[in-house]
Short mmCIF file of all heavy atoms in Angstrom, two decimals:
data_model
loop_
_atom_site.label_atom_id
_atom_site.label_comp_id
_atom_site.label_asym_id
_atom_site.label_seq_id
_atom_site.Cartn_x
_atom_site.Cartn_y
_atom_site.Cartn_z
N MET A 62 86.64 109.21 150.73
CA MET A 62 85.84 110.00 151.67
C MET A 62 86.48 110.02 153.06
O MET A 62 86.53 111.07 153.73
CB MET A 62 84.44 109.40 151.74
CG MET A 62 83.37 110.33 152.24
SD MET A 62 81.78 109.51 152.07
CE MET A 62 80.75 110.74 152.86
N GLY A 111 76.59 102.32 153.33
CA GLY A 111 75.55 102.28 154.36
C GLY A 111 74.78 100.98 154.34
O GLY A 111 74.53 100.36 155.38
N LEU A 117 76.47 93.84 157.30
CA LEU A 117 77.54 93.34 158.18
C LEU A 117 77.02 93.20 159.61
O LEU A 117 77.28 92.20 160.29
CB LEU A 117 78.73 94.31 158.13
CG LEU A 117 79.95 93.95 158.99
CD1 LEU A 117 80.68 92.73 158.41
CD2 LEU A 117 80.92 95.13 159.07
N ARG A 124 75.22 85.71 164.18
CA ARG A 124 76.25 84.83 164.73
C ARG A 124 76.37 84.98 166.24
O ARG A 124 76.77 84.05 166.92
CB ARG A 124 77.61 85.14 164.10
CG ARG A 124 77.66 84.87 162.61
CD ARG A 124 79.07 85.04 162.10
NE ARG A 124 79.10 85.03 160.65
CZ ARG A 124 80.19 84.81 159.95
NH1 ARG A 124 81.33 84.58 160.56
NH2 ARG A 124 80.16 84.82 158.63
N ASN A 144 86.11 79.25 167.92
CA ASN A 144 85.41 80.29 167.15
C ASN A 144 85.58 81.69 167.72
O ASN A 144 85.33 82.67 167.03
CB ASN A 144 83.91 79.97 167.06
CG ASN A 144 83.63 78.75 166.22
OD1 ASN A 144 84.32 78.51 165.23
ND2 ASN A 144 82.63 77.97 166.60
N TYR A 145 86.01 81.77 168.99
CA TYR A 145 86.08 83.08 169.65
C TYR A 145 86.97 84.09 168.93
O TYR A 145 86.56 85.26 168.76
CB TYR A 145 86.52 82.91 171.10
CG TYR A 145 86.52 84.21 171.86
CD1 TYR A 145 85.32 84.81 172.25
CD2 TYR A 145 87.71 84.86 172.18
CE1 TYR A 145 85.31 86.01 172.93
CE2 TYR A 145 87.71 86.06 172.86
CZ TYR A 145 86.50 86.63 173.23
OH TYR A 145 86.48 87.83 173.89
N THR A 207 81.61 125.47 156.15
CA THR A 207 82.82 125.84 156.88
C THR A 207 83.68 126.83 156.08
O THR A 207 83.48 126.99 154.87
CB THR A 207 83.68 124.60 157.19
OG1 THR A 207 84.16 124.05 155.95
CG2 THR A 207 82.90 123.56 157.96
N ASN A 228 83.59 137.35 134.78
CA ASN A 228 84.26 136.86 136.00
C ASN A 228 83.96 137.75 137.20
O ASN A 228 84.11 138.97 137.14
CB ASN A 228 85.79 136.81 135.76
CG ASN A 228 86.54 136.32 136.98
OD1 ASN A 228 86.63 137.00 137.98
ND2 ASN A 228 87.10 135.13 136.89
N SER A 229 83.51 137.12 138.30
CA SER A 229 83.15 137.87 139.50
C SER A 229 84.01 137.49 140.70
O SER A 229 83.57 137.55 141.85
CB SER A 229 81.67 137.63 139.84
OG SER A 229 80.84 138.10 138.81
N LEU A 249 94.50 131.56 149.50
CA LEU A 249 94.59 130.35 148.68
C LEU A 249 93.96 130.53 147.31
O LEU A 249 94.32 129.85 146.35
CB LEU A 249 93.91 129.17 149.40
CG LEU A 249 94.60 128.65 150.66
CD1 LEU A 249 93.71 127.63 151.36
CD2 LEU A 249 95.94 128.02 150.31
N GLY A 360 101.74 106.52 141.52
CA GLY A 360 102.57 107.05 142.61
C GLY A 360 102.56 108.57 142.58
O GLY A 360 102.14 109.19 141.60
N THR A 367 91.79 117.83 150.69
CA THR A 367 91.74 119.30 150.54
C THR A 367 92.61 120.01 151.55
O THR A 367 93.32 120.96 151.23
CB THR A 367 90.28 119.80 150.65
OG1 THR A 367 89.50 119.14 149.67
CG2 THR A 367 90.21 121.28 150.41
#
Side-chain angles (χ1 to χ4, degrees):
M62 201 174 175
L117 181 70
R124 296 187 190 198
N144 292 324
Y145 184 73
T207 66
N228 180 290
S229 297
L249 291 172
T367 303

